[in-house]
Amino acid sequence: MSDPDLAIVSVESTIVDVPLIRPHKFATTTSEVQPILFVAVTTAGGVTGYGEGVVPGGPWWGGESVETMKQIVDRYIGPYIIGRGVDEISGVMLDIERIVANARFAKAAVDVAMHDAWGRSLGIPVASLLGGAFRTGVDVRWALGAAPLEEIVEEVTHKMEQRLNFSFKLKMGALDPVVDTERVVKIVEAFDGKVGFSIDVNARWDRFTALRHVPQLVDGGVELIEQPTPADQLDVLAEINRRVSAPVMADESVQTPHDAYEVAKLAAADVIALKTTKCGGLQRSKEVVAVAKAAGLRCHGATSIEGPIGTAASIHFACSEPGINYGTELFGPQLFAVELLKKPLEYSEGRCTCPRVRASASSWTWMS
Ligand SMILES: [Mg+2]
């Protein structure tokens, strides 16, 4: 039986549109703001923990949006978990499966809020709940929207000069594939091999297109190929992985531990993009990483462009989980035009430091 002080007495959620420093162009859409669903879980002891429901710029990625997440949290998950302890995360997440299928981004917001409330109740960081931090921070790759060559060169140069990021990801899939491929190869050439670039097609190319252009990208110096083809076509991803020397990373293809198992079985990828959001929270993310580890796959700490709460949760996860062993792209708050924390996350020298203790409730400026 859980400590009565740890019992959940309320679950509240709020949608906030956070403006970005520049429009972020994905394969099919462009974001000017990042909508975030903030979820607050409060205990009988008066402690509130926060989580974020976040998808990258809308429902195009996986079908969920902040609006669907709000309904799922407010109407189904919230009332269902009232009275349960925030230290019962395993059991609560299991039981939620009885009333809500899939909807992993919404579940992640609740899972993180419970971890946060539990950690705050004990006065320890979330990384300690997950087994303890074994590193003090993570390397952070910066993602550039699908923008023209000149803009990209300027942004990369600026980031390098500021020593904020030393490796970069280029979004593809918005343009004609021939033009898009030429654009990316020119960007890589412009830095003469001194900057590491990966690409992400967000599952937008078919087999025919990918088999023609992925080898050209690899020959052009791209060091990592992320999800060129549709999520459910693992045999196609495996074929591409066999064809090219650069590692292939599965993102849309892996949301559950079983997805990771299927990718491993078919050798469809060398790296898994591990998002604590798309996996349904920190609890489930551990299971995905365990499968990857057992299969000799690496995991990259990926982002859905979470705000500082979701990003801090993913950094705590990455700092306590040796299986996150292919860097991260946990840059979300750096893309925001407003700072949501009184004590911001610390980005410098190409990395982000793991915050010792998550910011207190009073330090969230959006609440005031
Ligand atoms: Mg991706």
Side-chain angles (χ1 to χ4, degrees):
M1 185 61 197
S2 187
D3 176 345
D5 274 357
L6 297 180
I8 296 169
V9 294
S10 77
V11 178
E12 293 172 323
S13 72
T14 313
I15 293 174
V16 177
D17 284 344
V18 183
L20 303 181
I21 52 171
R22 56 152 167 77
H24 197 62
K25 198 164 172 28
F26 296 99
T28 64
T29 185
T30 300
S31 295
E32 307 262 340
V33 299
Q34 172 65 320
I36 298 178
L37 178 73
F38 289 101
V39 173
V41 166
T42 301
T43 67
V47 172
T48 301
Y50 298 90
E52 287 179 8
V54 185
V55 294
W60 69 279
W61 195 93
E64 283 183 77
S65 71
V66 286
E67 294 82 9
T68 68
M69 287 186 265
K70 186 161 175 47
Q71 289 300 312
I72 291 285
V73 170
D74 290 354
R75 186 161 176 196
Y76 301 100
I77 298 178
Y80 188 70
I81 66 174
I82 297 289
R84 301 290 296 270
V86 290
D87 60 343
E88 295 180 63
I89 296 169
S90 308
V92 168
M93 296 315 289
L94 189 66
D95 290 346
I96 286 174
E97 292 299 317
R98 295 152 62 108
I99 55 159
V100 180
N102 303 316
R104 295 182 192 91
F105 287 88
K107 288 171 184 168
V110 174
D111 164 291
V112 168
M114 288 180 69
H115 276 93
D116 192 29
W118 188 18
R120 286 174 196 279
S121 298
L122 296 172
I124 62 172
V126 166
S128 299
L129 295 177
L130 300 172
F134 74 99
R135 54 185 158 204
T136 57
V138 290
D139 290 342
V140 179
R141 185 185 287 266
W142 177 253
L144 296 116
L149 173 74
E150 302 72 34
E151 272 176 46
I152 300 272
V153 168
E154 192 183 328
E155 193 169 319
V156 169
T157 305
H158 176 73
K159 285 282 179 185
M160 297 281 287
E161 282 171 1
Q162 301 281 307
R163 303 190 63 77
L164 286 170
N165 308 91
F166 303 127
S167 64
F168 299 87
K169 159 160 138 178
L170 302 168
K171 287 285 191 186
M172 296 186 73
L175 303 173
D176 172 84
V178 175
V179 175
D180 214 6
T181 301
E182 281 172 3
R183 177 184 70 95
V184 166
V185 170
K186 279 188 188 144
I187 292 167
V188 177
E189 277 172 3
F191 289 93
D192 202 19
K194 293 187 183 70
V195 178
F197 285 101
S198 67
I199 58 106
D200 184 3
V201 192
N202 280 116
R204 298 295 142 175
W205 285 353
D206 62 13
R207 173 183 175 276
F208 186 90
T209 306
L211 286 176
R212 265 139 203 85
H213 296 295
V214 171
Q216 292 170 359
L217 291 164
V218 174
D219 289 346
V222 171
E223 61 180 25
L224 175 73
I225 306 294
E226 180 174 345
Q227 197 74 47
T229 48
D232 56 355
Q233 297 178 11
L234 291 186
D235 49 347
V236 174
L237 199 61
E239 187 178 358
I240 293 160
N241 199 21
R242 284 193 298 274
R243 290 270 186 109
V244 296
S245 55
V248 167
M249 181 155 80
D251 182 5
E252 281 86 340
S253 288
V254 177
Q255 300 187 47
T256 68
H258 188 77
D259 292 342
Y261 173 67
E262 290 290 338
V263 162
K265 227 171 34 175
L266 291 170
D270 305 305
V271 184
I272 289 173
L274 192 290
K275 294 173 178 165
T276 57
T277 48
K278 73 173 180 184
C279 293
L282 309 179
Q283 180 82 26
R284 285 277 176 274
S285 293
K286 281 258 179 207
E287 297 171 14
V288 173
V289 175
V291 174
K293 270 185 191 164
L297 301 181
R298 294 214 167 189
C299 289
H300 174 69
T303 185
S304 304
I305 314 192
E306 296 99 295
I309 299 175
T311 299
S314 290
I315 289 172
H316 278 258
F317 182 82
C319 286
S320 65
E321 174 50 78
I324 302 294
N325 49 12
Y326 204 83
T328 82
E329 55 172 11
L330 295 170
F331 61 80
Q334 291 181 291
L335 194 60
F336 290 4
V338 289
E339 177 56 60
L340 298 178
L341 303 184
K342 283 187 178 160
K343 188 173 183 306
L345 292 173
E346 287 170 29
Y347 288 94
S348 65
E349 296 301 315
R351 66 202 303 270
C352 186
T353 307
C354 188
R356 173 66 183 87
V357 176
R358 299 266 300 283
S360 68
S362 60
S363 67
W364 299 113
T365 51
W366 61 269
M367 294 187 70
S368 57

